[in-house]
Amino acid sequence: MKKTLFILLVLITYQVNYATAQNEKFKALFMYNFTKYLEWPEGDRQGEFVITVLGDSKIVDELKIIAQKKKVGFQSIVIKQVQTPDQITKSHMVYITENKSNQINNVKARLSTSTTVIIADDTNGISKGAGINYIVQGGKPLFEISKNNVEEHNIKVGADLLSLGIQR
């Protein structure tokens, strides 16, 4: 009985970890694909394309895999990971992990004059100021988008991206 219970627990843990890893892979791919439909000001299209992750998440590893193979336009992608909003430096995108979602307001305040897309993983991410927010509906990973929240940071949003997401 103990052996069967142990095997069952191992299988459940594996499935949860696998599902989490797959979810983070989807989020990373979404994030990269967002760059095809967003337009930063001319001055931000030179140098490196910086994505900062606030908090701990497997998405960092997934983003690093993408960064090794892809570019945003002619820009190499650099992934940074920080633990507090004060550590965020110039970034094109900032992803706020679910376990740091209580920091959305602090990130928004810190980036108020920057050309940065704030991406959250919070049920109220858009209303707190994120431009893009990951959600799951009917078991499917989706995203919400606020054109106003993105354009507030001097970034243009393509109509195709708006049609792909849930507009808020």
Side-chain angles (χ1 to χ4, degrees), residues 15-27:
Q15 285 182 319
V16 167
N17 287 338
Y18 178 77
T20 300
Q22 284 299 102
N23 196 24
E24 298 308 298
K25 184 177 282 193
F26 281 126
K27 290 176 188 175

Side-chain angles (χ1 to χ4, degrees), residues 112-124:
S112 64
T113 60
S114 73
T115 52
T116 305
V117 177
I118 299 171
I119 303 172
D121 204 340
D122 181 87
T123 54
N124 298 311

